[in-house]
Every structure is written in structure tokens, then in C-alpha cells.
Amino acid sequence: KLSVIKMSLLRSQPMKYYKLVLPRESAWTIMNKLGEISCLQLVDMNEGESTFQRKYANYIKRCEELEVRFKQVEQELKKFKVPINQPEPEDLPEFLHNLRSFLQTRGSSHQNFLEEVESESTERWNKINEQVRGYDDAIRQHNEWLEYKHVLGKTRGLFDALSKEHVQVSNVAEPASADLPIDYVAAGGPRVCFLAGTIPKEDSLRFKRMIFRVTRGNTWTTLYDIEQPAINPDQDEDEYLEDTILDPASRKPVFKCVFLIVYRGGSYDVLKGRLIKICESFNAKQFPVPENEDDYKEKDRHIEGQLVSRRELLRETRTTIDYMLDYYSRSRFPRDRMSYIEELRLFVAKEKEIYHHLNLLRSYETYLEGFCWAPIEEESRITDCLFEIGNEHPTIASGKFVVEDSQVENLDPPSSIKTNEFSWPFQEIVNTYGFPRYGEVNPGLFTIITFPFLFGVMFGDIGHGGILFLFAIWLCLKADDIKAGKGALVPFLSVRYLLLLMGFFAFYCGFIYNDFMAIPWNLFGSCYIKKGGRELEREPDCTYPFGLDPRWHVAANELNFVNSFKMKLAIVLGVSHMLLGIFLKAVNSVHFSNMIDLFCEFVPQLTFMICTFGYMVAAIFIKWATDWSAVGLGNAPSIITTFIDMFFNGGRVTKPLWGDGSSQEVIQRTFLFLAVISVPWMLIPKPLILWMQHSGDGPVKLKKEKDDHDKRPLLAGGGHDSDEEGNGLSKIELQPSPTHEKQLSSDSSKSSKVKGHGHGHGHGEFDLGEVCVHSLIETIEFVLGSVSHTASYLRLWALSLAHAELSKVFFEKALADSIEEGSFIGVLIGFMMFANLTLGVLLSMDVMELSLIHI
């Protein structure tokens, strides 16, 4: 049986295994109610069946078809620039409440509302689609007549000149419509043929080259760009449709050119067929041109009339479409702030999840049966929910929810980490890499301090950290007003406490670095006095109270000193962070009473880490604590050189850190020996002990090790803890853990047995080779990971140095010169540049860059 232990953010909530029985006629109602409180995780009772073979697969398919249809409607809403009010996380509980109220006002069953939505959406989408197709056709016709108008305008002057020269002209273009002339021949003069039309601008040069090559230069081709008016993205379509060639699909301007091809020959010349084929291959439109001025005027009047009628048709069709789409833009449920299309999308998503989880239950003649995990403290809430369903619907039977102790042996419960608005962003960072197993220490608790502190090490600056800190305080104080205002700062509210700690630690580390936007603060004086000239001498027994002495910021060797300090600090913090992870492994081993992992993994890993990089950290502190300027000690030894010599010279000391080096040599050789021994210690004992434990008579069995650490959260979305029912639609997902592999099979007496697989504590044959390979991989991963992780922590040094130097460059280039010259105008302009660069680069881009790199 599961032991009931009190847990908090440090570990998962205590869980219990329950049996859930739902009468078939009330299964949808009960699952709908349980989904809204979202506090249990169902076990898949039909693992052997495919998705399409399950009982409610048809309902899920219908929901997916509705989702596709709503996606199409949403695309049309965006295409016609109809506003869509998107839901916010805090709107979801109110949506569920409004949905319940709306369904109660209907006379029919709640679950029949899906059929109504399906029929209504199909009918409305067919009407919208018909109008949109008509609108697109009208745009194409309008484009064609507008292009023809531009062709006439560009070619009119040329043919007037040809007529004056008595040139015999033949138009070989195909007609744009039945009422347009196709050919004409002017009296007298040489015979000239031509083609006129439009072609996309991006194809115009290739089109011209192709004609030149095919005709071998026996044509004269000219191109005229069709000018398009400048369009503002926020501008309404009716304002620029009159003089713009639009793409019917995207509603974006299409840039085209008018082409005119002139060549010598008759109407049946060989070139005619070739030129027409080239035009067709480039999707170029061909238009005939009138032969005289009177025909031009008549054709202009005809085209203008066609354009006016097409524009009127477009306006009427657009009005109809806007009216239809406005139905989906407005809210249907009272007091809801989201659009109806979003309400429908959320409703269908909820229905899909209900039927998905009903598919997880085993179906019998009159009822559905399944098993689930739930936090112990939520048991009363679930039973109250079932009791409430019985009161609300007296004519239907309520479900059965009981503890199932007989099935719990060898099962691995899922984890449920309770979070609130403060701890949620930190837990999400941990969940990015994996969810802790049941009973394991939750790294999210420690991430509350380690993540913002390591960010502060990289972003350390009194000014920048202070601004970020004040901004986060303002977000915390004005959270309710910002939510009500629906402004651009709403996305920052969910991470406001994360920003608060990030700003605080950046402010704190800025004091350690004594850096305020590249300017040092002289708060406690200095321990360095002028010795003579530009040389400084440190006062005896003087220790700067806090952070770096401001004299270092004006010293010639400032970069070397700060560079060395931050690099060593990064190593110290990195090794400390890794040691924390190793100690958490020991805590987990003790919690699970796994002495093999404790002595065969924790002890050798701790030994290896302390004897290698732990010794490096100790050497750093020894070097910092030693006064190397004292007589007889000479220059300080290099830590890197000492560390490399320790491994390649068998622990021999070339330049001691203390004394004559004899004691240091003994320590280094001892540490080297322990580090080498710890590697086979991690590799060999554990497989041997397991083999000895399971090498008895009969079938050899092994309690499998749990390899998969990536557990999904119990509550869908892993959102904030709330005392309200239905604290968000994401909570509706009662998703089963993908790593919780087990199969429940019923026998003739309707009892079920659990067969363990994969992640659970199942039983299987002991494979010594597999265990050895696993141990080898773990050992190699830890040894190589120790080196690579230590090196990766150097990013703290590199990014901190880059941030400080970038801030210094901005100050020197924007403000320093103007301040030295005493120019008020220069200081004013420079300050504006410095403020914009600080806000745009250091407080926006740099914060996001450091946060993402740190994650």
C-alpha cells in the first residue's frame, strides 16, 4: 500500500489509486464535471486498441472536423480584418461558468449542443464560402479590366505615332472577352504585328530574355511598370481597391508590368505561335488594342463602366461577408469578452477531451469502468462533485469513486506539484527538462533562488538591475489594473515574480561588481593610495567592506583583474550548483531506501567531483586568501596549470600554492587516486550486487530501475493552484501519463491485474548485459558531463563581461565625450541615445538573451 506522507513544493502531493465507475447514461455529465475540477489522472484501460477502434472515436473525429472548420472561419476573419477577441487564461473559469448557464437555459440535453454547433457551423460556413468565392471572382474580373485599362493607357501614344507614319499594324492578341476587337490593319505602309498584355513584375526580365532568344532578336519588346498606390496595413480594403491589382487569396497588391511586343510579318507568321506560347507559359494576359482614337475612347468608356459595376458588386458582397463574419466576432455568451469563434473553439476542445477520456475507460453493457490517480486531499472534492451531480440530475445515476488498494502494488504514481502564482514560472522552467518522479525532490523549489541568482551574476549592474526590479514591483502592485486594461503588459504578469527576483539579484550583484551603467560608485572610499606618479599602493590591513574597490575601474589592468575574478567566480558557482544536484540524488536514494544507489552512485560521484573540480574551487579560495605580494612568495601560480599538472604529472607540484609544496603534492596524489578509483566504483559494483541479489533458484527476476525521469504533471497545463472550481480550460485535460505504462486486463470474475512495464515497478527477466551497458552509459555521462558542465558555467563569466563592456561602450560613445566637452546640447542628445540603447538593447534584448541562454 502507498504510505501517506505529507509533501509540499519539495515533493509531489501524496496520491492514491481509485476505481471509477460511470453509468453509461450519465458518463458524459460526470466526466464533464470531473474535467472542470481537474484533479485526477485516468489510466488507459484500452491500450491494446487503436484510436479508431474505441467507442467514442466517431465523436472525436467530429470534433476535429469542427476544429478544422473553425480554423477556416478564423482565416477568413483575419483576411477580411474582422477583429477577434482572444481568450486570456483568467477568462477561462468565467467561460466555463457562462457555458454552464447557457446550456441550462436550453430545453434539450447538454451533450446535444455539439450537434447543434455542428449543423449551424456547416450551414454558415457554406454560405460564407459561397460569398467569399463570389468576392474572389469579382476581384479577378476587376483586376482584368483594370489591367486592360493600363494596357490601353501605355500603348495609346505608340499606336498614334504608328498611324501617323502610315504603318500597317496587325494585332495578334487573343480577345479578353467576346465583345473586344481582335485584329485590325491600318491602310498603307509596311506590315507590323504586335502583342500587348500584362505580366507579373518578377517575371518581366526573364520574359523579355526568353522572347529575345526565341525570336533571335527579331522583335522589339518594351515593358511599362503599372504603378500601385501605397497601402497602409491598417487601411480598409475599400479605400484602395479602386486603383489596386489585388491577389484574391491574400488580399495583397500584385505588381505587374505592361508588355508590348512588335515584330515584322503577317498574322500567320511563325513568330506569332511562338510568342503566344511564351505568353501562356509565363501566365501573361493578352489584350487587343483599338486601331484609332475613336475606338480608344469607346473602349475607355466601356472599361470604366465595367470597373464601376465590379466595384459596386465588390462593395455589396463585402457588406454581406462582413455581416456573416461579425456573427463570429461578437460574444454569444453573456459577460464573456472573447469572440464567438473562440467560444466555439474552446467548447469543441472541451468536448473532444471529454470523449478522449471516456475512451480511456473500459466499456461494459450498462456502465464504464476505469482506474485513476488523484491527490489524497482532493478525494473529498471528487466525492462532493459526484454527490452534486446526483442532486442536480436526480433522474440519472451518479458515479462510483472508491479507493482501489488491491491494484496499487508495483505501480508508480504520477507526480502532482502544487504551484501558485509565485512558484509557477520556476516550476515551468524545471518542467522544460522533465518532471520529477513521485517522491523525488522537486528541483523547482531550489530553482526559485538558483535561476534568478545566476541570471544576476550575468546581468549584474546596479542601474539595470534596479530598473528591472522596480518594473517588476510595479507589475506586482498594478497586476489587477493591467489585467483589466488588456494592454501589452498582460503577458508579463505571469512571470512578474520571476522578474522581481531576477531584478533583485542583478541589483545585488551590481553592488558586488560596483558597476552602475559603467560608472563605479565610491561608497566606502578606497584601499589604494597614490604612491607616486600614476602608481597606487594598497593600504596595509585595509579590506574593502563590500564588492570591488572603485579604484579597479580606473586601473590600467582593470580588464585582466575583472576577467580573472568573474571567471573564477563562475567556476565556484558552477561546481556548487552541480554538488547540490549530487546531494539531491542522495536525498532521493535515502527517501526510497535505495542503498545501492546511495553507495554505488552518490558516494563515488561525490568523491569524483570533490577530488577534481572541488579541489579546483579550494585552490581558487587559497589563491584569493594568500598575499602574493609578500616577500619571497613571487608570482601566484596558475590554477589551470596546477590542475593540468595534477593529472598529467601524477600529482607532482611544479609551483606550490602554499608552503614548499610537499603537503600539496600528497593531497593532489590522494585526490587523483580517489578520482581514478571512483570511476570503476560507479561502473562495476552496482551490476554485480544486482546480479548477486537475483541469482537464486528458479526464474531470475529483477525489480526494474526507473529510467524515464520525464513525468508529465498530473494537472493539465501545470497551472496555478486555485480554490475555485474550473480554474482554467487547460485544467480540463485529465491526461494519462505517457510514461505510466501498464495494462489492466479483466478475467471471468471481472477482477483486474496489473502487469508492470517500462516506467513502473514491474517484473521482468534480469539481463546482466543490459544492466552493465546502462551502468557504463551512466558512468561515461557523469564523467564527461562533469567536465562539460563546468566549462558551460563559464558562460556566467563571458556574458557578465560582455554585458559590462557593452554598457561601457554605450556610455563612452554616447555620453562621455559630451560630458568632458561640457556641451549641454551634446549631453542632451547623447543622453537620449544612451537611454534608448540601454532600454532597447541592455534591458530588452540582453534580458531575453541571458534568460534563454541560462535556461
Side-chain angles (χ1 to χ4, degrees):
K1 296 182 179 180
L2 288 174
S3 58
V4 179
I5 20 179
K6 291 185 178 180
M7 300 183 184
S8 60
L9 185 60
L10 180 64
R11 286 193 174 94
S12 168
Q13 299 180 81
M15 309 290 291
K16 264 191 177 182
Y17 197 57
Y18 297 91
K19 183 178 182 179
L20 182 65
V21 180
L22 307 180
R24 184 181 295 276
E25 66 274 8
S26 59
W28 183 93
T29 304
I30 297 174
M31 189 61 70
N32 178 51
K33 196 70 175 179
L34 292 177
E36 291 183 5
I37 64 174
S38 183
C39 56
L40 50 81
Q41 176 172 295
L42 295 175
V43 176
D44 190 358
M45 304 292 294
N46 306 300
E47 277 188 298
E49 296 182 6
S50 67
T51 305
F52 304 103
Q53 293 175 334
R54 304 198 180 193
K55 182 174 182 59
Y56 298 96
N58 186 46
Y59 290 93
I60 295 177
K61 181 181 178 182
R62 290 166 57 189
C63 291
E64 290 174 347
E65 292 174 352
L66 282 174
E67 288 176 337
V68 172
R69 187 162 299 149
F70 294 151
K71 186 68 176 177
Q72 294 171 337
V73 173
E74 184 182 11
Q75 291 174 353
E76 298 300 332
L77 287 167
K78 292 179 179 179
K79 185 188 296 185
F80 287 94
K81 299 180 181 179
V82 179
I84 304 175
N85 296 325
Q86 301 287 347
E88 298 294 339
E90 59 271 13
D91 296 336
L92 300 181
E94 184 179 1
F95 163 75
L96 293 175
H97 174 73
N98 293 337
L99 178 62
R100 286 194 298 268
S101 302
F102 173 77
L103 294 177
Q104 288 172 359
T105 59
R106 300 169 61 253
S108 58
S109 173
H110 293 183
Q111 59 193 98
N112 292 336
F113 184 58
L114 178 65
E115 298 177 1
E116 295 181 14
V117 169
E118 192 173 19
S119 60
E120 180 196 41
S121 61
T122 301
E123 181 182 355
R124 287 187 173 274
W125 168 247
N126 290 336
K127 293 181 179 179
I128 292 174
N129 196 29
E130 181 181 357
Q131 292 293 328
V132 170
R133 285 202 304 268
Y135 189 76
D136 292 343
D137 291 339
I139 288 181
R140 292 189 187 95
Q141 295 173 11
H142 180 268
N143 289 344
E144 187 174 342
W145 288 108
L146 188 59
E147 291 174 27
Y148 194 15
K149 178 181 178 180
H150 285 290
V151 169
L152 294 183
K154 297 297 183 181
T155 59
R156 188 169 190 170
L158 175 65
F159 288 105
D160 286 345
L162 291 175
S163 298
K164 292 178 181 178
E165 296 293 333
H166 302 288
V167 176
Q168 189 178 7
V169 183
S170 177
N171 181 0
V172 298
E174 296 296 331
S177 60
D179 60 339
L180 298 178
I182 179 169
D183 288 337
Y184 66 87
V185 178
R191 189 173 186 81
V192 174
C193 297
F194 70 91
L195 284 174
T198 59
I199 189 172
K201 189 174 182 178
E202 61 269 16
D203 297 332
S204 59
L205 294 180
R206 291 193 300 112
F207 177 72
K208 192 173 183 180
R209 283 197 299 266
M210 179 65 73
I211 291 175
F212 181 83
R213 291 171 182 172
V214 170
T215 62
R216 299 182 181 181
N218 291 321
T219 58
W220 177 71
T221 306
T222 183
L223 300 170
Y224 305 96
D225 289 342
I226 298 178
E227 297 180 359
Q228 297 270 59
I231 297 176
N232 189 340
D234 299 328
Q235 192 175 359
D236 190 73
E237 192 174 297
D238 294 338
E239 299 178 12
Y240 57 80
L241 180 62
E242 183 175 343
D243 299 318
T244 307
I245 302 173
L246 294 178
D247 181 12
S250 64
R251 303 290 191 273
K252 294 181 180 179
V254 178
F255 295 93
K256 290 196 172 186
C257 294
V258 173
F259 68 85
L260 179 63
I261 307 171
V262 181
Y263 63 95
R264 186 181 180 89
S267 299
Y268 301 99
D269 194 273
V270 178
L271 289 179
K272 174 182 177 180
R274 295 180 180 177
L275 292 174
I276 292 177
K277 287 182 179 179
I278 294 174
C279 292
E280 292 175 350
S281 65
F282 278 86
N283 198 24
K285 293 182 180 178
Q286 305 170 47
F287 298 97
V289 180
E291 65 176 277
N292 53 51
E293 182 66 23
D294 294 336
D295 291 343
Y296 264 106
K297 292 180 180 179
E298 182 181 351
K299 187 57 61 179
D300 281 341
R301 288 193 296 269
H302 178 72
I303 291 175
E304 285 297 331
Q306 292 291 336
L307 287 174
V308 169
S309 63
R310 294 302 184 278
R311 289 164 188 162
E312 184 64 26
L313 175 62
L314 285 172
R315 278 192 289 269
E316 292 177 358
T317 308
R318 176 61 186 269
T319 302
T320 304
I321 293 175
D322 288 342
Y323 176 77
M324 292 181 173
L325 293 179
D326 186 63
Y327 176 80
Y328 288 102
S329 176
R330 292 179 286 105
S331 175
R332 177 92 177 268
F333 300 154
R335 298 185 302 277
D336 258 1
R337 292 178 289 184
M338 66 187 80
S339 297
Y340 185 47
I341 184 67
E342 295 298 330
E343 294 172 341
L344 290 177
R345 190 201 304 276
L346 294 178
F347 167 74
V348 172
K350 182 177 77 71
E351 291 292 308
K352 182 180 176 182
E353 287 300 318
I354 290 174
Y355 289 116
H356 167 72
H357 288 90
L358 287 175
N359 272 339
L360 300 179
L361 305 178
R362 182 181 294 126
S363 178
Y364 293 97
E365 218 174 288
T366 58
Y367 65 95
L368 303 176
E369 181 187 69
F371 296 89
C372 62
W373 292 98
I376 294 177
E377 65 178 26
E378 300 288 352
E379 181 177 348
S380 60
R381 190 179 177 196
I382 297 173
T383 53
D384 291 344
C385 175
L386 297 177
F387 181 75
E388 182 182 342
I389 293 174
N391 292 336
E392 292 179 356
H393 307 277
T395 58
I396 63 175
S398 59
K400 180 182 178 183
F401 183 76
V402 293
V403 177
E404 187 66 26
D405 290 335
S406 61
Q407 303 293 339
V408 76
E409 186 179 358
N410 296 329
L411 294 183
D412 188 13
S415 295
S416 172
I417 306 296
K418 216 171 185 181
T419 59
N420 51 31
E421 288 187 337
F422 177 81
S423 60
W424 176 79
F426 303 99
Q427 188 64 48
E428 285 299 300
I429 294 172
V430 174
N431 295 347
T432 303
Y433 298 95
F435 208 77
R437 292 179 297 175
Y438 184 74
E440 281 188 339
V441 174
N442 178 27
L445 176 64
F446 305 93
T447 306
I448 293 175
I449 295 300
T450 58
F451 182 87
F453 176 71
L454 294 179
F455 170 85
V457 172
M458 296 184 286
F459 197 70
D461 188 287
I462 300 173
H464 301 152
I467 293 174
L468 185 61
F469 185 54
L470 293 176
F471 173 68
I473 291 177
W474 180 78
L475 285 178
C476 294
L477 296 177
K478 298 293 183 179
D480 294 336
D481 296 338
I482 295 174
K483 286 179 183 178
K486 292 283 185 180
L489 295 177
V490 172
F492 291 96
L493 294 180
S494 59
V495 293
R496 60 187 183 275
Y497 296 109
L498 175 63
L499 294 175
L500 183 72
L501 292 181
M502 288 166 60
F504 172 77
F505 282 112
F507 183 72
Y508 169 76
C509 291
F511 273 104
I512 293 179
Y513 301 152
N514 198 358
D515 192 359
F516 180 86
M517 299 186 182
I519 304 173
W521 279 8
N522 191 6
L523 298 176
F524 309 106
S526 176
C527 287
Y528 291 87
I529 58 176
K530 288 189 177 181
K531 182 179 179 181
R534 302 187 63 180
E535 293 186 6
L536 299 175
E537 185 180 50
R538 182 172 173 272
E539 294 183 13
D541 301 327
C542 178
T543 302
Y544 197 72
F546 186 80
L548 292 181
D549 193 302
R551 287 287 188 180
W552 280 111
H553 289 272
V554 294
N557 59 340
E558 174 208 1
L559 187 59
N560 291 335
F561 171 77
V562 175
N563 189 41
S564 175
F565 166 72
K566 290 186 176 180
M567 181 173 62
K568 292 180 175 63
L569 180 64
I571 296 295
V572 172
L573 294 176
V575 173
S576 303
H577 203 192
M578 289 188 290
L579 286 173
L580 173 63
I582 295 175
F583 278 106
L584 291 183
K585 173 179 281 191
V587 174
N588 289 332
S589 299
V590 172
H591 177 76
F592 291 113
S593 301
N594 193 338
M595 295 300 104
I596 296 178
D597 285 353
L598 182 66
F599 292 104
C600 297
E601 289 186 3
F602 165 70
V603 175
Q605 288 177 3
L606 181 65
T607 302
F608 181 85
M609 183 61 67
I610 290 178
C611 294
T612 53
F613 297 104
Y615 173 67
M616 177 186 283
V617 171
I620 290 174
F621 281 108
I622 292 173
K623 186 175 180 179
W624 279 347
T626 304
D627 186 3
W628 299 98
S629 63
V631 179
L633 293 180
N635 295 328
S638 170
I639 299 295
I640 298 297
T641 303
T642 301
F643 197 65
I644 293 175
D645 289 344
M646 172 181 168
F647 283 90
F648 288 95
N649 294 331
R652 191 170 66 251
V653 177
T654 55
K655 193 167 185 179
L657 279 168
W658 68 87
D660 58 357
S662 58
S663 59
Q664 180 183 350
E665 187 169 320
V666 173
I667 292 175
Q668 288 190 172
R669 287 181 175 176
T670 303
F671 282 175
L672 182 60
F673 174 77
L674 292 175
V676 173
I677 288 297
S678 63
V679 175
W681 189 355
M682 286 184 277
L683 178 62
I684 300 174
K686 183 177 178 178
L688 288 179
I689 294 173
L690 292 175
W691 177 74
M692 292 171 62
Q693 285 182 348
H694 300 89
S695 59
D697 297 334
V700 178
K701 301 293 182 182
L702 169 64
K703 188 179 182 180
K704 286 191 176 180
E705 295 298 318
K706 293 182 274 187
D707 303 321
D708 190 6
H709 292 256
D710 186 15
K711 293 289 289 181
R712 292 198 181 184
L714 168 72
L715 300 183
H720 308 159
D721 181 34
S722 173
D723 294 332
E724 297 182 10
E725 268 193 21
N727 54 347
L729 190 64
S730 60
K731 298 279 186 174
I732 289 176
E733 297 182 79
L734 306 175
Q735 57 185 359
S737 172
T739 55
H740 188 258
E741 302 177 32
K742 56 184 174 287
Q743 180 180 353
L744 297 174
S745 58
S746 68
D747 54 15
S748 57
S749 63
K750 295 188 179 180
S751 63
S752 55
K753 296 181 180 181
V754 179
K755 183 168 69 175
H757 292 267
H759 189 74
H761 288 289
H763 294 280
E765 295 183 0
F766 178 75
D767 188 345
L768 180 60
E770 182 180 348
V771 175
C772 290
V773 170
H774 178 76
S775 181
L776 177 63
I777 294 174
E778 289 283 344
T779 303
I780 295 175
E781 183 181 3
F782 177 79
V783 174
L784 297 182
S786 300
V787 179
S788 63
H789 292 166
T790 304
S792 71
Y793 276 100
L794 291 176
R795 71 184 184 275
L796 302 178
W797 150 60
L799 294 173
S800 173
L801 193 64
H803 178 84
E805 290 301 311
L806 191 60
S807 178
K808 184 177 180 180
V809 168
F810 287 164
F811 176 76
E812 290 179 349
K813 299 300 181 182
L815 271 176
D817 293 339
S818 299
I819 293 175
E820 290 179 359
E821 294 173 0
S823 171
F824 175 77
I825 301 297
V827 170
L828 183 61
I829 297 175
F831 176 77
M832 293 174 62
M833 292 177 57
F834 179 72
N836 288 326
L837 289 172
T838 299
L839 181 63
V841 178
L842 297 177
L843 289 175
S844 298
M845 296 172 58
D846 212 22
V847 169
M848 291 188 293
E849 176 192 4
L850 296 181
S851 300
L852 293 175
I853 290 177
H854 185 29
I855 289 177

